[in-house]
Amino acid sequence: MTARVLVIDDDIANARFIGARLAAEYFEVTSATNESEALRICERGQCDVVLLHAAQSTIDSFAVCRNLKANQSTRHIPVLLITAHDQSVDRMRALDAGADDFLCEPFSEVGLLARVRSLARLKLLSDEIEMRAATLKELGVHQQNIDVAEAGKSGRVLVVDDRSSSRKLIASALADDHYVDVQGEPYEALFYAAEGDYDLI
């Protein structure tokens, strides 16, 4: 799989290292060292995945992520946010800013590549859905499920966790906005997943 990856990092040496590793796996890599340059690249549709380094001194990566997700023309681009420390507060800030995934430093190359590949697949599917929605709109057909996906609510979620207290906590947090099923046995969850038409597991 190949995709266009934008690496946003004001540390040029670090950006080159990450870029070289991604290029070795056949990703097309572009880099940006400041927010305005990064936003221009994204708005022109020149990337499929954004890799955003949060340990920078001159760029507020959480703000950049929020700006990308608030902009109609860039919100569909998956963002992988790299945080400096494995702290829950950084993970929460990354998710709150709209990041699609995150890595904590120090990270393994395998973990980085796996996440970039996953987000590239997500972008491919997102583009396909957008194209189908545009085609249906041109034909005068309105699809309610596209509106639901855009709103980020009323999804079907399967929670799989072998701890009863954890299952209940997660389910209660999601129940106001989504249809939630819970399952404590992984083997049973396979059958639920195959037959339940879930949006998220």
Side-chain angles (χ1 to χ4, degrees):
M1 166 182 280
T2 185
R4 300 166 301 169
V5 181
L6 172 62
V7 178
I8 306 173
D9 195 332
D10 61 0
D11 183 334
I12 295 172
N14 194 54
R16 283 180 180 165
F17 170 76
I18 293 173
R21 190 63 195 93
L22 292 170
E25 297 295 323
Y26 306 103
F27 289 104
E28 184 182 321
V29 181
T30 306
S31 61
T33 56
N34 60 68
E35 181 176 349
S36 59
E37 181 185 8
L39 293 174
R40 272 198 309 272
I41 291 168
C42 292
E43 286 173 351
R44 289 196 299 254
Q46 295 176 314
C47 64
D48 300 305
V49 176
V50 171
L51 197 155
L52 189 50
H53 192 203
Q56 306 156 15
S57 57
T58 60
I59 301 173
D60 183 345
S61 295
F62 299 105
V64 173
C65 186
R66 279 192 295 273
N67 288 339
L68 286 171
K69 293 303 180 178
N71 187 326
Q72 183 74 22
S73 64
T74 60
R75 66 178 179 164
H76 63 287
I77 303 172
V79 176
L80 172 62
L81 209 148
I82 299 176
T83 60
H85 305 289
D86 186 10
Q87 296 179 350
S88 59
V89 64
D90 282 341
R91 292 196 296 269
M92 289 304 296
R93 285 185 70 197
L95 294 173
D96 188 53
D100 298 276
D101 204 347
F102 56 87
L103 269 176
C104 300
E105 291 182 315
F107 56 85
S108 69
E109 290 185 10
V110 172
L112 172 68
L113 294 171
R115 282 171 166 81
V116 171
R117 286 192 193 102
S118 175
L119 292 176
R121 282 194 297 271
L122 178 67
K123 177 64 163 54
L124 189 66
L125 291 171
S126 173
D127 287 348
E128 187 176 328
I129 290 170
E130 290 287 331
M131 278 186 1
R132 289 183 182 185
T135 302
L136 288 169
K137 190 174 181 181
E138 286 176 12
L139 296 172
V141 178
H142 179 71
Q143 270 199 324
Q144 187 175 359
N145 61 337
I146 297 295
D147 295 336
V148 167
E150 289 296 327
K153 294 187 177 182
S154 301
R156 290 184 46 77
V157 181
L158 174 61
V159 176
V160 184
D161 194 324
D162 60 358
R163 295 166 297 174
S164 175
S165 60
S166 182
R167 283 197 306 271
K168 289 176 183 173
L169 181 65
I170 295 169
S172 66
L174 298 173
D176 286 345
D177 295 325
H178 304 284
Y179 306 103
V180 182
D181 289 329
V182 295
Q183 185 53 244
E185 296 291 330
Y187 186 74
E188 289 293 321
L190 288 173
F191 292 101
Y192 273 77
E195 299 170 2
D197 191 29
Y198 291 103
D199 300 302
L200 177 69
I201 301 175

